[in-house]
């Protein structure tokens, strides 16, 4: 399998962590690309040129980190990170979706800050910052625990680590002890250590 990534991408990190947790890392060739330069090999498999993109074992390209992560979860070994069905699946998916939404707000802020200052929208940046904070509050209230390791919990852990990495001046830790504890615990896992963003 081939996995197109950028190492700073939290969405790439998510599927890389799942690959490690499910014993698949040695079956996946990681290929670092620049999606903003329309990397030809990525464009050939993903028309919107986004990472991560996985070329599955049957040659089918898979895009969108939740889809890729679920595929790897299904074909890998060990306990399922995403329950197959029922109320427990919805509980885990809700947390995963909330973490992804938090990341989306943060990514929008990063991209806006890359624009020339005269082209930036202060009102949108304020809105995305506010929404990111509210989403972090909702993650805190959900009290994800590293002991209940699943797709939602690992997504929450990736989220707070990425916010620290990309928004070092944003104080996400104050008033969020559950998330602080989660990050500290998860970053000790071998899968997290192996995928630290650079």
């Amino acid at each position: 399998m081939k996995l197109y990534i950028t190492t700073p991408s939290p969405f790439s990190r998510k599927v890389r962590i799942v690959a490690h947790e499910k014993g698949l890392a040695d079956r996946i060739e990681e290929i670092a690309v620049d999606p903003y330069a329309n990397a030809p090999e990525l464009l050939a498999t993903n028309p919107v040129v986004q990472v991560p993109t996985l070329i599955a074992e049957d040659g089918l390209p898979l895009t969108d980190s939740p889809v890729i992560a679920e595929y790897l979860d299904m074909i890998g070994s060990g306990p399922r990170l995403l329950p197959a069905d029922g109320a427990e699946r919805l509980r885990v998916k809700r947390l995963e979706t909330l973490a992804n939404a938090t990341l989306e707000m943060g990514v929008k802020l990063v991209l806006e800050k890359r624009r020339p200052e005269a082209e930036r929208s202060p009102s949108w940046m304020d809105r995305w910052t506010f929404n990111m904070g509210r989403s972090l509050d909702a993650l805190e209230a959900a009290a994800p625990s590293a002991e209940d390791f699943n797709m939602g919990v690992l997504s929450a852990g990736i989220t707070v680590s990425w916010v620290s990495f990309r928004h070092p001046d944003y104080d996400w830790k104050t008033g969020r002890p559950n998330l602080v504890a989660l990050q500290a615990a998860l970053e000790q896992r071998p899968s997290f250590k192996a995928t630290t963003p650079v």
Side-chain angles (χ1 to χ4, degrees), residues 10-11 13-15 17-18 65-66 69 81-82 91-104 132 134-165 172-173 176-187 189 192:
F11 303 107
R13 188 181 190 200
K14 175 179 180 170
V15 299
I17 286 172
V18 172
S65 59
L81 298 172
L82 181 63
R91 183 185 73 84
V92 172
K93 286 299 287 183
R94 178 184 177 276
L95 189 61
E96 179 188 24
T97 301
L98 183 57
N100 287 346
T102 310
L103 287 171
E104 290 290 350
M132 185 170 70
R134 283 195 306 193
S135 297
L136 286 166
D137 288 341
L139 286 174
E140 172 66 20
S145 169
E147 295 179 6
D148 179 29
F149 190 74
N150 58 49
M151 200 73 76
V153 169
L154 77 86
S155 297
I158 291 164
T159 296
V160 293
S161 289
W162 181 84
V163 170
S164 290
F165 172 69
W172 66 266
K173 294 182 179 181
R176 300 184 182 109
N178 292 324
L179 294 181
V180 171
L182 179 70
Q183 182 195 30
L186 290 181
E187 289 297 341
R189 292 180 78 94
F192 276 70

Side-chain angles (χ1 to χ4, degrees), residues 52-64:
T53 294
L54 177 75
I55 308 303
E57 291 184 324
D58 61 1
L60 182 69
L62 299 175
T63 60
D64 193 41

Side-chain angles (χ1 to χ4, degrees), residues 23-196:
L24 296 168
D26 61 347
R27 290 167 52 186
I28 297 173
E29 177 189 1
E30 291 184 355
I31 303 168
V33 294
D34 181 357
Y36 299 105
N38 289 328
E41 62 272 40
L42 179 58
L43 182 59
T45 60
N46 185 336
V48 295
V49 202
Q50 288 183 329
V51 293
T53 294
L54 177 75
I55 308 303
E57 291 184 324
D58 61 1
L60 182 69
L62 299 175
T63 60
D64 193 41
S65 59
V67 174
I68 298 170
E70 185 168 358
Y71 170 76
L72 296 176
D73 190 29
M74 288 189 304
I75 69 169
S77 60
R80 288 289 298 265
L81 298 172
L82 181 63
D85 54 30
E88 184 63 9
R89 178 183 175 87
L90 288 176
R91 183 185 73 84
V92 172
K93 286 299 287 183
R94 178 184 177 276
L95 189 61
E96 179 188 24
T97 301
L98 183 57
N100 287 346
T102 310
L103 287 171
E104 290 290 350
M105 296 298 103
V107 168
K108 288 179 179 183
L109 282 167
V110 168
L111 295 177
E112 190 73 4
K113 289 176 182 177
R114 289 181 181 169
R115 299 175 71 187
E117 191 168 354
E119 296 179 13
R120 296 176 194 168
S121 171
S123 61
W124 278 114
M125 291 175 71
D126 287 346
R127 179 173 176 79
W128 295 328
T129 302
F130 185 70
N131 286 348
M132 185 170 70
R134 283 195 306 193
S135 297
L136 286 166
D137 288 341
L139 286 174
E140 172 66 20
S145 169
E147 295 179 6
D148 179 29
F149 190 74
N150 58 49
M151 200 73 76
V153 169
L154 77 86
S155 297
I158 291 164
T159 296
V160 293
S161 289
W162 181 84
V163 170
S164 290
F165 172 69
R166 278 297 191 206
H167 300 283
D169 296 331
Y170 181 82
D171 178 17
W172 66 266
K173 294 182 179 181
T174 299
R176 300 184 182 109
N178 292 324
L179 294 181
V180 171
L182 179 70
Q183 182 195 30
L186 290 181
E187 289 297 341
Q188 296 307 308
R189 292 180 78 94
S191 61
F192 276 70
K193 289 182 176 180
T195 58
T196 301

